[in-house]
Amino acid sequence: MKKKLILVTAMIFTAFSLSACSVSEEGSSNLDSDLSQPTMTDVSSNSESMNQGVSDDQMIDSQITFADGYVLNDFESRYSEAGSLYPDKTVLVWACDEDIRYEEELNTYLNENNYPFVIVFRNLTPADDELYGDDGNFKSSYAKNLQSAIADGEQIDIVSTGYRFALFDTFANPYHYFVDNGILLPIEDMIVQTDVGKSFYGDTPDNYWSSLTYDGHIYGIDGYLSGLTNTSCLQVNTDIVSENEQSSITGESYSELLSQLYELSNTKSEESDSTYQIVPHYLEDLSMFTDYDFIWSNIYIDENGVARNIYEAPEITKLFNTLSYGFNEGYIANRADKIENTIADFAYTRCGDIVQNHTVVDSFFGTSAMNGSAEGYRIYPNITKNVHSAQNATGICSKSENADLAIQALMICLCNEECNNLLCFGTDYEIKSGCISPNGYYNTIIVENRLAHNPFLGLFNTDIRQEYKTAYENSVLSPYVGFTFDTSSVASELLAIEGIIYSVPDEFPSDEYQSGEEYLSSLNERLYDAGLQDVLDEANRQLVKYNEENS
């Protein structure tokens, strides 16, 4: 589905952390991937507007059918039905940018456990006819629709910040943006007023809460652990690379690891009639290859507190030169459908080198010669050392008339293991060695808390929740946690820059450039022509002021 595909791309590119669901986000799955995607069945709703000031052109959600056959009706119908089924309960509205499969099961659970509320999720992502302009780019976004709904006085109680829509939204950090625009309530005092929240607050490392602290307050729960950032890795295909060969691949940079894989690829190719190659990914999101604080897709803060262009960083020049060499020698393919056998692939996970280094996971390598599951041996260069500002969170809407109930609902849904398992995986699953193996539809992107629900079998080990906590405890809190880049004066330049960066995967590597340095020279010239220097000057002006105030 076009909307899903582009949104996934936008999330990976802009959130410095991001995916369509937590399984595909890891680059692999131990289930049929069709079980994680809903399909549209009706692009219109016949239900009448609720008495909430909702006009027809604002009702953007549609009836959909999930891969397991479950039909999710439009928001208005579900809200009305919830009020009829649970007349003694308060119906809370949770705004998000995805359709949530297990709303019905959740409300059964809440009712059986005597909670005074039920929840109806409202997907405020624009429908396709409202989402795209004639040029194929976004002309609206989740954030814009949410702000319009709140301004019109519509009921919103719980808010997931969602992700920035590339080439449309010009804010850098969704969580900070929602706070700056008065959408979220401070909740640090409210959290500990609930038993579940008090327990979660006490069991969670200080750095987790520090990553969520903005202007002195905490405004949400970061279930995706976005303060740890995504970390890219090289995932070696264990169907091709033996255990001894896997253990011999070591290094503290991507260039080192790639060079060793080139040698191994050459050996494998000489021993057979097949060609073994690597397809590079994520070259438009280099935050996953570094441990800097990023304030835009290509702009990071260096160790001296100066905003710089990542495509001019020495380590990135070295990486691009290594990739270009591999392409020229036949070890790198620039498109997956041109590859005969995948010896390794690029993947990523949350805080990879701390909690996932040198692990074997169920993986998916899709090539012309092999299109199925295999085990992948993941190797992460040692780069992740900092905790950064959280990018995404779920909190309480500042305009909610049910804030006391909404905080209870938020804590139960995101901080209670049983309830969070249900939201992510439904009721049909098995627990094996502390990990969860779902038998039906699964989708965790909006409603998961990785510190709460059981780990996904095949992708994580039993102790991953504690290892995430250890990652927060052992990492250093970045001095730029809490800094946000006010992009208002350079918004048009940022969108132009982003459009250029979007083209990187299509342009590189290729026969047109003899080296990575040659390509980066061309890329950077275009970025500066689009106004990069003005953006850097504005970012550094704001950083100087921030450093003076926080010295």
Side-chain angles (χ1 to χ4, degrees), residues 512-545:
E512 184 177 350
Y513 303 98
Q514 295 303 305
S515 69
E517 192 170 359
E518 181 184 350
Y519 172 72
L520 289 172
S521 176
S522 170
L523 174 66
N524 287 322
E525 182 177 354
R526 285 177 283 154
L527 292 175
Y528 279 100
D529 287 344
L532 177 57
Q533 189 59 58
D534 290 338
V535 174
L536 291 173
D537 289 344
E538 176 59 23
N540 282 313
R541 184 191 66 79
Q542 294 180 29
L543 280 167
V544 167
K545 181 179 179 181

PDB file of all heavy atoms in Angstrom, residues 512-545:
ATOM      1  N   GLU A 512      28.940   6.200 -12.262  1.00  0.00           N
ATOM      2  CA  GLU A 512      29.168   7.609 -12.563  1.00  0.00           C
ATOM      3  C   GLU A 512      30.279   8.209 -11.723  1.00  0.00           C
ATOM      4  O   GLU A 512      30.913   9.185 -12.125  1.00  0.00           O
ATOM      5  CB  GLU A 512      27.861   8.386 -12.340  1.00  0.00           C
ATOM      6  CG  GLU A 512      27.940   9.844 -12.722  1.00  0.00           C
ATOM      7  CD  GLU A 512      26.615  10.563 -12.570  1.00  0.00           C
ATOM      8  OE1 GLU A 512      25.594   9.877 -12.350  1.00  0.00           O
ATOM      9  OE2 GLU A 512      26.593  11.810 -12.649  1.00  0.00           O
ATOM     10  N   TYR A 513      30.535   7.597 -10.536  1.00  0.00           N
ATOM     11  CA  TYR A 513      31.523   8.153  -9.624  1.00  0.00           C
ATOM     12  C   TYR A 513      32.610   7.114  -9.357  1.00  0.00           C
ATOM     13  O   TYR A 513      32.324   5.964  -9.020  1.00  0.00           O
ATOM     14  CB  TYR A 513      30.862   8.572  -8.314  1.00  0.00           C
ATOM     15  CG  TYR A 513      29.746   9.575  -8.515  1.00  0.00           C
ATOM     16  CD1 TYR A 513      28.416   9.152  -8.551  1.00  0.00           C
ATOM     17  CD2 TYR A 513      30.018  10.921  -8.690  1.00  0.00           C
ATOM     18  CE1 TYR A 513      27.385  10.060  -8.747  1.00  0.00           C
ATOM     19  CE2 TYR A 513      28.998  11.845  -8.889  1.00  0.00           C
ATOM     20  CZ  TYR A 513      27.678  11.399  -8.923  1.00  0.00           C
ATOM     21  OH  TYR A 513      26.660  12.297  -9.128  1.00  0.00           O
ATOM     22  N   GLN A 514      33.857   7.531  -9.479  1.00  0.00           N
ATOM     23  CA  GLN A 514      34.979   6.619  -9.295  1.00  0.00           C
ATOM     24  C   GLN A 514      35.364   6.427  -7.837  1.00  0.00           C
ATOM     25  O   GLN A 514      36.096   5.505  -7.494  1.00  0.00           O
ATOM     26  CB  GLN A 514      36.196   7.129 -10.089  1.00  0.00           C
ATOM     27  CG  GLN A 514      35.974   7.126 -11.600  1.00  0.00           C
ATOM     28  CD  GLN A 514      35.606   5.741 -12.111  1.00  0.00           C
ATOM     29  OE1 GLN A 514      36.327   4.764 -11.881  1.00  0.00           O
ATOM     30  NE2 GLN A 514      34.470   5.643 -12.801  1.00  0.00           N
ATOM     31  N   SER A 515      34.867   7.305  -6.979  1.00  0.00           N
ATOM     32  CA  SER A 515      35.178   7.197  -5.553  1.00  0.00           C
ATOM     33  C   SER A 515      34.053   7.805  -4.746  1.00  0.00           C
ATOM     34  O   SER A 515      33.248   8.604  -5.253  1.00  0.00           O
ATOM     35  CB  SER A 515      36.493   7.916  -5.220  1.00  0.00           C
ATOM     36  OG  SER A 515      36.329   9.325  -5.360  1.00  0.00           O
ATOM     37  N   GLY A 516      33.998   7.433  -3.486  1.00  0.00           N
ATOM     38  CA  GLY A 516      33.022   8.046  -2.604  1.00  0.00           C
ATOM     39  C   GLY A 516      33.276   9.528  -2.434  1.00  0.00           C
ATOM     40  O   GLY A 516      32.334  10.327  -2.335  1.00  0.00           O
ATOM     41  N   GLU A 517      34.544   9.909  -2.403  1.00  0.00           N
ATOM     42  CA  GLU A 517      34.900  11.320  -2.245  1.00  0.00           C
ATOM     43  C   GLU A 517      34.382  12.145  -3.416  1.00  0.00           C
ATOM     44  O   GLU A 517      33.902  13.275  -3.223  1.00  0.00           O
ATOM     45  CB  GLU A 517      36.418  11.449  -2.131  1.00  0.00           C
ATOM     46  CG  GLU A 517      36.889  12.809  -1.694  1.00  0.00           C
ATOM     47  CD  GLU A 517      38.372  12.822  -1.354  1.00  0.00           C
ATOM     48  OE1 GLU A 517      39.016  11.761  -1.455  1.00  0.00           O
ATOM     49  OE2 GLU A 517      38.852  13.901  -0.987  1.00  0.00           O
ATOM     50  N   GLU A 518      34.455  11.579  -4.614  1.00  0.00           N
ATOM     51  CA  GLU A 518      33.950  12.288  -5.793  1.00  0.00           C
ATOM     52  C   GLU A 518      32.434  12.498  -5.684  1.00  0.00           C
ATOM     53  O   GLU A 518      31.921  13.581  -5.967  1.00  0.00           O
ATOM     54  CB  GLU A 518      34.275  11.503  -7.057  1.00  0.00           C
ATOM     55  CG  GLU A 518      33.795  12.186  -8.341  1.00  0.00           C
ATOM     56  CD  GLU A 518      34.050  11.347  -9.580  1.00  0.00           C
ATOM     57  OE1 GLU A 518      34.770  10.314  -9.474  1.00  0.00           O
ATOM     58  OE2 GLU A 518      33.513  11.706 -10.652  1.00  0.00           O
ATOM     59  N   TYR A 519      31.735  11.458  -5.254  1.00  0.00           N
ATOM     60  CA  TYR A 519      30.281  11.598  -5.109  1.00  0.00           C
ATOM     61  C   TYR A 519      29.934  12.604  -4.017  1.00  0.00           C
ATOM     62  O   TYR A 519      29.047  13.451  -4.206  1.00  0.00           O
ATOM     63  CB  TYR A 519      29.624  10.257  -4.780  1.00  0.00           C
ATOM     64  CG  TYR A 519      28.161  10.425  -4.448  1.00  0.00           C
ATOM     65  CD1 TYR A 519      27.245  10.727  -5.442  1.00  0.00           C
ATOM     66  CD2 TYR A 519      27.713  10.347  -3.120  1.00  0.00           C
ATOM     67  CE1 TYR A 519      25.907  10.945  -5.138  1.00  0.00           C
ATOM     68  CE2 TYR A 519      26.375  10.560  -2.817  1.00  0.00           C
ATOM     69  CZ  TYR A 519      25.477  10.859  -3.831  1.00  0.00           C
ATOM     70  OH  TYR A 519      24.156  11.081  -3.522  1.00  0.00           O
ATOM     71  N   LEU A 520      30.596  12.531  -2.879  1.00  0.00           N
ATOM     72  CA  LEU A 520      30.299  13.440  -1.781  1.00  0.00           C
ATOM     73  C   LEU A 520      30.569  14.891  -2.168  1.00  0.00           C
ATOM     74  O   LEU A 520      29.855  15.797  -1.728  1.00  0.00           O
ATOM     75  CB  LEU A 520      31.114  13.060  -0.544  1.00  0.00           C
ATOM     76  CG  LEU A 520      30.686  11.763   0.153  1.00  0.00           C
ATOM     77  CD1 LEU A 520      31.679  11.390   1.242  1.00  0.00           C
ATOM     78  CD2 LEU A 520      29.282  11.895   0.734  1.00  0.00           C
ATOM     79  N   SER A 521      31.573  15.116  -2.985  1.00  0.00           N
ATOM     80  CA  SER A 521      31.859  16.473  -3.460  1.00  0.00           C
ATOM     81  C   SER A 521      30.672  17.011  -4.245  1.00  0.00           C
ATOM     82  O   SER A 521      30.247  18.168  -4.058  1.00  0.00           O
ATOM     83  CB  SER A 521      33.119  16.484  -4.323  1.00  0.00           C
ATOM     84  OG  SER A 521      33.354  17.776  -4.858  1.00  0.00           O
ATOM     85  N   SER A 522      30.117  16.183  -5.128  1.00  0.00           N
ATOM     86  CA  SER A 522      28.954  16.591  -5.917  1.00  0.00           C
ATOM     87  C   SER A 522      27.733  16.792  -5.026  1.00  0.00           C
ATOM     88  O   SER A 522      26.992  17.775  -5.169  1.00  0.00           O
ATOM     89  CB  SER A 522      28.652  15.522  -6.982  1.00  0.00           C
ATOM     90  OG  SER A 522      27.414  15.757  -7.605  1.00  0.00           O
ATOM     91  N   LEU A 523      27.528  15.861  -4.095  1.00  0.00           N
ATOM     92  CA  LEU A 523      26.383  15.955  -3.184  1.00  0.00           C
ATOM     93  C   LEU A 523      26.445  17.222  -2.343  1.00  0.00           C
ATOM     94  O   LEU A 523      25.455  17.958  -2.223  1.00  0.00           O
ATOM     95  CB  LEU A 523      26.336  14.722  -2.285  1.00  0.00           C
ATOM     96  CG  LEU A 523      25.281  14.729  -1.175  1.00  0.00           C
ATOM     97  CD1 LEU A 523      23.882  14.697  -1.771  1.00  0.00           C
ATOM     98  CD2 LEU A 523      25.502  13.550  -0.221  1.00  0.00           C
ATOM     99  N   ASN A 524      27.591  17.481  -1.752  1.00  0.00           N
ATOM    100  CA  ASN A 524      27.729  18.640  -0.871  1.00  0.00           C
ATOM    101  C   ASN A 524      27.589  19.955  -1.632  1.00  0.00           C
ATOM    102  O   ASN A 524      27.055  20.935  -1.088  1.00  0.00           O
ATOM    103  CB  ASN A 524      29.063  18.581  -0.131  1.00  0.00           C
ATOM    104  CG  ASN A 524      29.063  17.516   0.944  1.00  0.00           C
ATOM    105  OD1 ASN A 524      28.058  17.300   1.624  1.00  0.00           O
ATOM    106  ND2 ASN A 524      30.189  16.821   1.106  1.00  0.00           N
ATOM    107  N   GLU A 525      28.040  19.987  -2.862  1.00  0.00           N
ATOM    108  CA  GLU A 525      27.862  21.195  -3.672  1.00  0.00           C
ATOM    109  C   GLU A 525      26.375  21.497  -3.836  1.00  0.00           C
ATOM    110  O   GLU A 525      25.933  22.652  -3.703  1.00  0.00           O
ATOM    111  CB  GLU A 525      28.516  21.014  -5.042  1.00  0.00           C
ATOM    112  CG  GLU A 525      28.403  22.254  -5.921  1.00  0.00           C
ATOM    113  CD  GLU A 525      29.112  22.087  -7.256  1.00  0.00           C
ATOM    114  OE1 GLU A 525      29.778  21.054  -7.457  1.00  0.00           O
ATOM    115  OE2 GLU A 525      28.986  22.996  -8.103  1.00  0.00           O
ATOM    116  N   ARG A 526      25.570  20.461  -4.085  1.00  0.00           N
ATOM    117  CA  ARG A 526      24.129  20.644  -4.229  1.00  0.00           C
ATOM    118  C   ARG A 526      23.477  21.044  -2.904  1.00  0.00           C
ATOM    119  O   ARG A 526      22.551  21.863  -2.874  1.00  0.00           O
ATOM    120  CB  ARG A 526      23.493  19.368  -4.772  1.00  0.00           C
ATOM    121  CG  ARG A 526      23.754  19.135  -6.270  1.00  0.00           C
ATOM    122  CD  ARG A 526      23.160  17.818  -6.730  1.00  0.00           C
ATOM    123  NE  ARG A 526      23.973  16.690  -6.320  1.00  0.00           N
ATOM    124  CZ  ARG A 526      23.511  15.457  -6.128  1.00  0.00           C
ATOM    125  NH1 ARG A 526      22.216  15.219  -6.242  1.00  0.00           N
ATOM    126  NH2 ARG A 526      24.317  14.484  -5.775  1.00  0.00           N
ATOM    127  N   LEU A 527      23.953  20.460  -1.812  1.00  0.00           N
ATOM    128  CA  LEU A 527      23.401  20.812  -0.505  1.00  0.00           C
ATOM    129  C   LEU A 527      23.649  22.273  -0.164  1.00  0.00           C
ATOM    130  O   LEU A 527      22.757  22.970   0.351  1.00  0.00           O
ATOM    131  CB  LEU A 527      23.994  19.905   0.575  1.00  0.00           C
ATOM    132  CG  LEU A 527      23.598  18.429   0.525  1.00  0.00           C
ATOM    133  CD1 LEU A 527      24.353  17.632   1.576  1.00  0.00           C
ATOM    134  CD2 LEU A 527      22.099  18.256   0.718  1.00  0.00           C
ATOM    135  N   TYR A 528      24.844  22.751  -0.439  1.00  0.00           N
ATOM    136  CA  TYR A 528      25.143  24.156  -0.159  1.00  0.00           C
ATOM    137  C   TYR A 528      24.387  25.088  -1.102  1.00  0.00           C
ATOM    138  O   TYR A 528      23.952  26.174  -0.701  1.00  0.00           O
ATOM    139  CB  TYR A 528      26.649  24.405  -0.219  1.00  0.00           C
ATOM    140  CG  TYR A 528      27.348  24.006   1.061  1.00  0.00           C
ATOM    141  CD1 TYR A 528      28.016  22.785   1.160  1.00  0.00           C
ATOM    142  CD2 TYR A 528      27.311  24.832   2.181  1.00  0.00           C
ATOM    143  CE1 TYR A 528      28.636  22.401   2.339  1.00  0.00           C
ATOM    144  CE2 TYR A 528      27.932  24.463   3.364  1.00  0.00           C
ATOM    145  CZ  TYR A 528      28.592  23.247   3.444  1.00  0.00           C
ATOM    146  OH  TYR A 528      29.201  22.861   4.617  1.00  0.00           O
ATOM    147  N   ASP A 529      24.208  24.673  -2.351  1.00  0.00           N
ATOM    148  CA  ASP A 529      23.402  25.474  -3.281  1.00  0.00           C
ATOM    149  C   ASP A 529      21.951  25.591  -2.796  1.00  0.00           C
ATOM    150  O   ASP A 529      21.262  26.576  -3.096  1.00  0.00           O
ATOM    151  CB  ASP A 529      23.424  24.856  -4.682  1.00  0.00           C
ATOM    152  CG  ASP A 529      24.751  25.056  -5.394  1.00  0.00           C
ATOM    153  OD1 ASP A 529      25.533  25.919  -4.948  1.00  0.00           O
ATOM    154  OD2 ASP A 529      25.005  24.349  -6.387  1.00  0.00           O
ATOM    155  N   ALA A 530      21.492  24.568  -2.058  1.00  0.00           N
ATOM    156  CA  ALA A 530      20.113  24.569  -1.551  1.00  0.00           C
ATOM    157  C   ALA A 530      19.969  25.382  -0.267  1.00  0.00           C
ATOM    158  O   ALA A 530      18.860  25.507   0.253  1.00  0.00           O
ATOM    159  CB  ALA A 530      19.650  23.134  -1.315  1.00  0.00           C
ATOM    160  N   GLY A 531      21.077  25.918   0.264  1.00  0.00           N
ATOM    161  CA  GLY A 531      20.996  26.771   1.447  1.00  0.00           C
ATOM    162  C   GLY A 531      21.562  26.165   2.711  1.00  0.00           C
ATOM    163  O   GLY A 531      21.259  26.635   3.815  1.00  0.00           O
ATOM    164  N   LEU A 532      22.403  25.149   2.593  1.00  0.00           N
ATOM    165  CA  LEU A 532      22.943  24.489   3.773  1.00  0.00           C
ATOM    166  C   LEU A 532      23.719  25.447   4.670  1.00  0.00           C
ATOM    167  O   LEU A 532      23.623  25.364   5.898  1.00  0.00           O
ATOM    168  CB  LEU A 532      23.835  23.303   3.363  1.00  0.00           C
ATOM    169  CG  LEU A 532      24.539  22.556   4.502  1.00  0.00           C
ATOM    170  CD1 LEU A 532      23.530  22.037   5.523  1.00  0.00           C
ATOM    171  CD2 LEU A 532      25.392  21.415   3.963  1.00  0.00           C
ATOM    172  N   GLN A 533      24.488  26.354   4.088  1.00  0.00           N
ATOM    173  CA  GLN A 533      25.275  27.256   4.924  1.00  0.00           C
ATOM    174  C   GLN A 533      24.372  28.129   5.798  1.00  0.00           C
ATOM    175  O   GLN A 533      24.670  28.361   6.983  1.00  0.00           O
ATOM    176  CB  GLN A 533      26.174  28.148   4.065  1.00  0.00           C
ATOM    177  CG  GLN A 533      27.184  28.956   4.879  1.00  0.00           C
ATOM    178  CD  GLN A 533      28.106  28.058   5.695  1.00  0.00           C
ATOM    179  OE1 GLN A 533      28.804  27.195   5.149  1.00  0.00           O
ATOM    180  NE2 GLN A 533      28.103  28.234   7.014  1.00  0.00           N
ATOM    181  N   ASP A 534      23.260  28.592   5.245  1.00  0.00           N
ATOM    182  CA  ASP A 534      22.322  29.396   6.037  1.00  0.00           C
ATOM    183  C   ASP A 534      21.761  28.575   7.194  1.00  0.00           C
ATOM    184  O   ASP A 534      21.582  29.090   8.309  1.00  0.00           O
ATOM    185  CB  ASP A 534      21.172  29.893   5.158  1.00  0.00           C
ATOM    186  CG  ASP A 534      21.620  30.947   4.156  1.00  0.00           C
ATOM    187  OD1 ASP A 534      22.656  31.590   4.403  1.00  0.00           O
ATOM    188  OD2 ASP A 534      20.923  31.123   3.140  1.00  0.00           O
ATOM    189  N   VAL A 535      21.487  27.308   6.924  1.00  0.00           N
ATOM    190  CA  VAL A 535      20.960  26.432   7.971  1.00  0.00           C
ATOM    191  C   VAL A 535      22.004  26.220   9.064  1.00  0.00           C
ATOM    192  O   VAL A 535      21.698  26.308  10.260  1.00  0.00           O
ATOM    193  CB  VAL A 535      20.522  25.077   7.378  1.00  0.00           C
ATOM    194  CG1 VAL A 535      20.112  24.114   8.493  1.00  0.00           C
ATOM    195  CG2 VAL A 535      19.370  25.269   6.401  1.00  0.00           C
ATOM    196  N   LEU A 536      23.238  25.951   8.670  1.00  0.00           N
ATOM    197  CA  LEU A 536      24.303  25.745   9.647  1.00  0.00           C
ATOM    198  C   LEU A 536      24.537  27.007  10.478  1.00  0.00           C
ATOM    199  O   LEU A 536      24.746  26.933  11.700  1.00  0.00           O
ATOM    200  CB  LEU A 536      25.594  25.330   8.942  1.00  0.00           C
ATOM    201  CG  LEU A 536      25.605  23.934   8.307  1.00  0.00           C
ATOM    202  CD1 LEU A 536      26.878  23.730   7.493  1.00  0.00           C
ATOM    203  CD2 LEU A 536      25.482  22.850   9.372  1.00  0.00           C
ATOM    204  N   ASP A 537      24.504  28.161   9.832  1.00  0.00           N
ATOM    205  CA  ASP A 537      24.702  29.424  10.557  1.00  0.00           C
ATOM    206  C   ASP A 537      23.606  29.622  11.605  1.00  0.00           C
ATOM    207  O   ASP A 537      23.888  30.025  12.748  1.00  0.00           O
ATOM    208  CB  ASP A 537      24.711  30.598   9.580  1.00  0.00           C
ATOM    209  CG  ASP A 537      25.957  30.637   8.705  1.00  0.00           C
ATOM    210  OD1 ASP A 537      26.938  29.945   9.050  1.00  0.00           O
ATOM    211  OD2 ASP A 537      25.928  31.337   7.679  1.00  0.00           O
ATOM    212  N   GLU A 538      22.358  29.321  11.230  1.00  0.00           N
ATOM    213  CA  GLU A 538      21.244  29.487  12.172  1.00  0.00           C
ATOM    214  C   GLU A 538      21.349  28.474  13.304  1.00  0.00           C
ATOM    215  O   GLU A 538      21.123  28.809  14.484  1.00  0.00           O
ATOM    216  CB  GLU A 538      19.916  29.338  11.441  1.00  0.00           C
ATOM    217  CG  GLU A 538      18.684  29.397  12.341  1.00  0.00           C
ATOM    218  CD  GLU A 538      18.564  30.702  13.113  1.00  0.00           C
ATOM    219  OE1 GLU A 538      19.137  31.730  12.689  1.00  0.00           O
ATOM    220  OE2 GLU A 538      17.886  30.701  14.175  1.00  0.00           O
ATOM    221  N   ALA A 539      21.681  27.232  12.976  1.00  0.00           N
ATOM    222  CA  ALA A 539      21.829  26.209  14.017  1.00  0.00           C
ATOM    223  C   ALA A 539      22.936  26.580  14.992  1.00  0.00           C
ATOM    224  O   ALA A 539      22.772  26.442  16.216  1.00  0.00           O
ATOM    225  CB  ALA A 539      22.111  24.851  13.377  1.00  0.00           C
ATOM    226  N   ASN A 540      24.046  27.054  14.488  1.00  0.00           N
ATOM    227  CA  ASN A 540      25.159  27.414  15.364  1.00  0.00           C
ATOM    228  C   ASN A 540      24.854  28.660  16.190  1.00  0.00           C
ATOM    229  O   ASN A 540      25.324  28.780  17.331  1.00  0.00           O
ATOM    230  CB  ASN A 540      26.429  27.605  14.539  1.00  0.00           C
ATOM    231  CG  ASN A 540      27.052  26.265  14.156  1.00  0.00           C
ATOM    232  OD1 ASN A 540      27.195  25.385  15.005  1.00  0.00           O
ATOM    233  ND2 ASN A 540      27.399  26.107  12.881  1.00  0.00           N
ATOM    234  N   ARG A 541      24.075  29.589  15.648  1.00  0.00           N
ATOM    235  CA  ARG A 541      23.649  30.738  16.443  1.00  0.00           C
ATOM    236  C   ARG A 541      22.836  30.266  17.651  1.00  0.00           C
ATOM    237  O   ARG A 541      23.045  30.722  18.780  1.00  0.00           O
ATOM    238  CB  ARG A 541      22.805  31.687  15.581  1.00  0.00           C
ATOM    239  CG  ARG A 541      22.401  32.971  16.306  1.00  0.00           C
ATOM    240  CD  ARG A 541      21.357  33.754  15.518  1.00  0.00           C
ATOM    241  NE  ARG A 541      20.093  33.027  15.446  1.00  0.00           N
ATOM    242  CZ  ARG A 541      19.210  32.978  16.439  1.00  0.00           C
ATOM    243  NH1 ARG A 541      19.458  33.593  17.589  1.00  0.00           N
ATOM    244  NH2 ARG A 541      18.084  32.318  16.295  1.00  0.00           N
ATOM    245  N   GLN A 542      21.927  29.317  17.413  1.00  0.00           N
ATOM    246  CA  GLN A 542      21.106  28.794  18.504  1.00  0.00           C
ATOM    247  C   GLN A 542      21.935  27.964  19.490  1.00  0.00           C
ATOM    248  O   GLN A 542      21.687  27.993  20.697  1.00  0.00           O
ATOM    249  CB  GLN A 542      19.965  27.953  17.935  1.00  0.00           C
ATOM    250  CG  GLN A 542      18.960  28.753  17.126  1.00  0.00           C
ATOM    251  CD  GLN A 542      17.831  27.894  16.578  1.00  0.00           C
ATOM    252  OE1 GLN A 542      17.457  26.877  17.172  1.00  0.00           O
ATOM    253  NE2 GLN A 542      17.279  28.294  15.434  1.00  0.00           N
ATOM    254  N   LEU A 543      22.923  27.236  18.985  1.00  0.00           N
ATOM    255  CA  LEU A 543      23.777  26.429  19.859  1.00  0.00           C
ATOM    256  C   LEU A 543      24.646  27.296  20.765  1.00  0.00           C
ATOM    257  O   LEU A 543      24.866  26.964  21.933  1.00  0.00           O
ATOM    258  CB  LEU A 543      24.654  25.493  19.021  1.00  0.00           C
ATOM    259  CG  LEU A 543      23.967  24.229  18.519  1.00  0.00           C
ATOM    260  CD1 LEU A 543      24.815  23.546  17.452  1.00  0.00           C
ATOM    261  CD2 LEU A 543      23.696  23.263  19.680  1.00  0.00           C
ATOM    262  N   VAL A 544      25.147  28.404  20.223  1.00  0.00           N
ATOM    263  CA  VAL A 544      25.942  29.322  21.045  1.00  0.00           C
ATOM    264  C   VAL A 544      25.100  29.827  22.205  1.00  0.00           C
ATOM    265  O   VAL A 544      25.545  29.852  23.369  1.00  0.00           O
ATOM    266  CB  VAL A 544      26.472  30.499  20.200  1.00  0.00           C
ATOM    267  CG1 VAL A 544      27.026  31.600  21.103  1.00  0.00           C
ATOM    268  CG2 VAL A 544      27.541  30.013  19.239  1.00  0.00           C
ATOM    269  N   LYS A 545      23.877  30.218  21.909  1.00  0.00           N
ATOM    270  CA  LYS A 545      22.978  30.710  22.965  1.00  0.00           C
ATOM    271  C   LYS A 545      22.671  29.597  23.969  1.00  0.00           C
ATOM    272  O   LYS A 545      22.694  29.829  25.189  1.00  0.00           O
ATOM    273  CB  LYS A 545      21.685  31.213  22.336  1.00  0.00           C
ATOM    274  CG  LYS A 545      20.696  31.772  23.345  1.00  0.00           C
ATOM    275  CD  LYS A 545      19.437  32.287  22.660  1.00  0.00           C
ATOM    276  CE  LYS A 545      18.448  32.813  23.689  1.00  0.00           C
ATOM    277  NZ  LYS A 545      17.189  33.296  23.035  1.00  0.00           N
TER     278      LYS A 545
END
